[in-house]
Amino acid sequence: MSRQRLIAFLTALAVAVGLAILVPLASTASAAECTTPYSSSAVYTGGMTASYNSHNWQAKWWTQGETPSTGGSGVWADQGSCGSGSGGTGGTTGGSGNCNYPAWVAGHNYVAGDIVKYTNGNYYKASHDNPGYDPVISTWYWDPYGCNGGGGTTPPSNGSFVVSEAQFNQMFPSRNSFYSYSGLTAALSAYPGFATTGSDTVKKQEAAAFLANVSHETGGLVYITEIDKSGNYCDANQSYGCPAGTYAYYGRGPIQLSWNFNYKAAGDALGVNLLNNPSLVETDSAIAWKTGLWYWNTQTGPGTMTGHNAMVNGAGFGETIRSINGSIECNGGNPAQVQSRINAYQNFVSILGVPAGNNLSC
């Protein structure tokens, strides 16, 4: 009997005696989890990912405002379908079940996709392989991760920033167009705790404190770079040297980032090669704002705490001055400069409708 006739005979026999025919179903591989949804206002650099139309995409180089697709400039690489594949316009970062991921360990090697619990109680997912970088500082390597029972932090969107565009324009009526509101809001995702921590009053006080110091450093967001660029901000003792040139690391951006070691540290944290390309801080608005937020959220400078911690933990505006330029201005060093910062802060909290709080000076 031929194979085909045998199969037909056995099928007919099974039907006759009432047996169910078990037909093997085609196996389906579950789609990958969708990463953070694409945002047209966000800046993406090489290696960063976003989800769009139920697919994950990876940027090959810097881009902003180009919707992920296989066409266009070719900046986006399709990483395959994600989520349920239902055709939505993006995915959500999240997990199922209870959060029982291991604690983050400094110096431990992580690969993209690893999820850890950080010391602040929030969860983070590695977006790129890294040798144990801090999830709060090295935000290019980690994304906030939310799961049932967990406390993932959601980066603020343009509409949720505590300073509206109208208020921003009121604060900086003569600003250089380079310092755009869209550039600032695009940079917020790098440090999701900024102006989102604490009460509504504290959130607005922190935003006002950051912008007041920024205003002082840039003459009201007028100067993109420092006026005198002849200074040598190259520490030749660093192993990586000064590849962009001895005089290339002058002050740039909202907090006037300077010195080769600061460009190296900020670039490593943000996933941008600022050591070799310091000019990005004066040509890319979002990157400029990110360097300011990097310093504010991660650097203590000559102080004992970051500007962010000073405002959310009640130390007061005076401690933010100390962390930025305290070695020169505080303790009677330059009271006129300190007062200039305080005046800007008081003006900005008035615009935002909150009190200034205590400990304004240093």
Side-chain angles (χ1 to χ4, degrees):
M1 181 182 292
S2 69
R3 184 173 182 274
Q4 289 82 0
R5 290 183 178 179
L6 177 60
I7 292 174
F9 170 76
L10 292 175
T11 301
L13 178 62
V15 172
V17 297
L19 296 176
I21 304 297
L22 300 179
V23 181
L25 299 176
S27 62
T28 56
S30 58
E33 181 181 317
C34 288
T35 186
T36 306
Y38 167 75
S39 171
S40 60
S41 63
V43 171
Y44 298 90
T45 55
M48 293 181 69
T49 58
S51 63
Y52 185 79
N53 275 343
S54 297
H55 277 241
N56 282 329
W57 303 81
Q58 186 176 64
K60 300 177 185 176
W61 56 81
W62 186 97
T63 183
Q64 182 180 23
E66 181 172 339
T67 303
S69 71
T70 55
S73 67
V75 65
W76 290 104
D78 189 350
Q79 303 297 295
S81 61
C82 65
S84 63
S86 60
T89 58
T92 57
T93 301
S96 59
N98 294 324
C99 289
N100 57 358
Y101 298 106
W104 168 79
V105 178
H108 177 81
N109 286 322
Y110 292 99
V111 298
D114 284 347
I115 301 170
V116 297
K117 182 179 182 180
Y118 189 58
T119 54
N120 61 6
N122 291 331
Y123 293 83
Y124 295 83
K125 184 175 182 179
S127 52
H128 300 87
D129 297 354
N130 69 86
Y133 291 145
D134 191 308
V136 175
I137 297 176
S138 298
T139 55
W140 187 70
Y141 294 95
W142 295 95
D143 288 327
Y145 181 85
C147 55
N148 293 342
T153 302
T154 302
S157 64
N158 291 17
S160 63
F161 184 40
V162 294
V163 179
S164 69
E165 186 167 8
Q167 290 169 330
F168 179 76
N169 290 333
Q170 185 179 354
M171 293 173 178
F172 303 103
S174 302
R175 65 178 171 83
N176 189 306
S177 60
F178 173 78
Y179 291 114
S180 65
Y181 181 77
S182 61
L184 171 58
T185 54
L188 295 179
S189 60
Y191 293 97
F194 171 73
T196 65
T197 305
S199 66
D200 288 344
T201 295
V202 170
K203 294 172 186 176
K204 292 180 179 180
Q205 286 174 337
E206 183 183 7
F210 171 74
L211 292 173
N213 281 297
V214 161
S215 180
H216 180 83
E217 294 291 318
T218 61
L221 289 186
V222 171
Y223 297 105
I224 302 172
T225 66
E226 63 178 312
I227 297 173
D228 182 4
K229 300 179 179 61
S230 62
N232 179 359
Y233 294 102
C234 171
D235 181 0
N237 293 322
Q238 301 294 335
S239 60
Y240 42 77
C242 300
T246 302
Y247 296 94
Y249 301 98
Y250 52 81
R252 296 177 175 89
I255 293 192
Q256 295 291 283
L257 187 72
S258 57
W259 290 97
N260 57 329
F261 49 81
N262 280 326
Y263 278 89
K264 175 71 163 61
D268 286 350
L270 299 171
V272 183
N273 190 349
L274 297 181
L275 181 66
N276 285 279
N277 301 289
S279 62
L280 287 173
V281 184
E282 62 181 281
T283 57
D284 187 307
S285 179
I287 289 178
W289 281 113
K290 283 183 179 182
T291 63
L293 291 171
W294 166 79
Y295 191 95
W296 180 264
N297 286 277
T298 70
Q299 304 299 299
T300 62
T304 60
M305 64 188 76
T306 66
H308 171 72
N309 285 337
M311 296 308 297
V312 302
N313 293 325
F317 179 72
E319 287 303 312
T320 74
I321 302 174
R322 193 181 302 278
S323 70
I324 292 175
N325 209 25
S327 60
I328 296 175
E329 297 179 14
C330 293
N331 302 320
N334 196 327
Q337 295 296 305
V338 171
Q339 191 59 49
S340 172
R341 295 179 192 266
I342 295 172
N343 291 345
Y345 174 65
Q346 291 177 322
N347 179 33
F348 291 174
V349 291
S350 176
I351 290 173
L352 296 178
V354 294
N358 300 319
N359 305 320
L360 298 186
S361 185
C362 61

